[in-house]
């Protein structure tokens, strides 16, 4: 996430009013050669000029996407090219990992960087199931840095799955990662995993039964979910306790952490738990 708002304001100074200047974007993110920016709807008529100015600030970038958020279970972004090339497929490098993606078609959350790096230090020698693998957000750092025995990486969105399979090859981890195209509720294997990653928010609780069934005794679970700030972490701990009870297994909470602010009053959080007794 970058903030060079004063430079943007200077570049546009001659053609915008002081009121418009106040509404200019305060930050944006850059994935590979693509700049992704949210623009206040009140100044959307300036989008082409804002896009051109951003390309001037970052000459190595080739496209600018206006971001209107992500929607639906496939996490499809609503994004439009406002400047530069219409070809938005790019290669993003982060923490020694290569992520090929088209940010116009699949999401990638800049705010989850710390969590991606944390996952990249876990899982050594283990069998891991990544139930919501996307383009490999957590699978790739883990495979590249920790060298698990195996990661079963499940993804339902065909576009994201295509990038996942390609990224596995690009990072040279095809001996470790097994990409699976499907609904994790149906295809998650049972009683195989030392660790399960649930990198999805909104309805993640509905997949807890499949996650717990995938774990061997003593396995680790990373449960991501959105939660009202006032109910954090209690609500998430209750979700896990309920799932443990349904499965007749003990679930011990080991850590809760805020990943990022999701929307006003709502957090994206992650709870780590240890699941015993298969
Ligand atoms: N953790 C990611 C990051 O760091 O940016 C973001 C979450 S990722 C986009 C979530 C992925 O889960 C999406 O690619 C979505 O298509 C996938 N997904 C949603 N429901 C699913 C299901 N039932 N089975 C498998 N994958 C699913």
């Amino acid at each position: 996430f970058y903030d060079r708002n004063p430079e943007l304001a200077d570049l546009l100074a001659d053609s915008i009013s002081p009121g418009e200047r106040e509404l200019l974007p305060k930050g944006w993110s850059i994935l590979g050669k693509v700049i992704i920016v949210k623009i206040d709807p009140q100044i959307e008529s300036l989008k082409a000029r804002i896009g051109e100015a951003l390309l001037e600030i970052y000459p190595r970038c080739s496209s600018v996407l206006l971001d209107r958020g992500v929607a639906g279970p496939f996490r499809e972004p609503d994004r439009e090219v406002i400047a530069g090339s219409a070809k938005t497929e790019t290669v993003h490098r982060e923490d020694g990992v290569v992520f090929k993606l088209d940010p116009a078609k699949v999401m990638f959350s800049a705010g989850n960087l710390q969590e991606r790096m944390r996952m990249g230090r876990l899982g050594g020698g283990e069998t891991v199931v990544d139930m919501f693998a996307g383009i490999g957000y957590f699978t790739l750092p883990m495979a590249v840095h920790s060298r698990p025995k195996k990661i079963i990486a499940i993804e339902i969105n065909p576009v994201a799955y295509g990038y996942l399979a390609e990224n596995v090859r690009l990072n040279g981890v095809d001996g470790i990662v097994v990409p699976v195209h499907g609904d994790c509720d149906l295809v998650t294997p049972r009683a195989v995993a030392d660790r399960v990653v649930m990198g999805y928010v909104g309805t993640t609780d509905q997949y807890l039964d499949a996650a717990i069934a995938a774990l061997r005794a003593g396995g680790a679970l990373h449960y991501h979910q959105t939660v009202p700030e006032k109910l954090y972490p209690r609500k998430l701990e209750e979700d896990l306790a309920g799932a443990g009870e349904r499965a007749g297994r003990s679930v011990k909470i080991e850590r809760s952490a805020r990943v990022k602010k999701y929307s006003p009053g709502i957090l994206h959080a992650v709870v780590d738990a240890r699941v015993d007794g298969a």
Side-chain angles (χ1 to χ4, degrees), residues 73-75 107-109 112 116 131-132 134 137-138 154-157 182-184 199-200 207:
F74 284 16
R75 295 295 188 256
M107 72 158 286
F108 187 98
S109 172
N112 295 359
R116 281 194 290 277
M131 292 174 69
F132 303 91
Y137 312 100
F138 295 137
I154 306 169
E155 173 54 43
I156 198 168
N157 173 339
D183 179 347
C184 63
Y200 180 69
Y207 301 88

Side-chain angles (χ1 to χ4, degrees), residues 177-214:
V177 181
V178 182
V180 177
H181 182 208
D183 179 347
C184 63
D185 206 26
L186 306 174
V187 303
T188 299
R190 296 175 74 88
V192 295
D194 303 301
R195 185 176 301 277
V196 169
V197 184
M198 304 180 81
Y200 180 69
V201 295
T203 56
T204 328
D205 51 309
Q206 294 174 16
Y207 301 88
L208 277 172
D209 294 348
I212 288 181

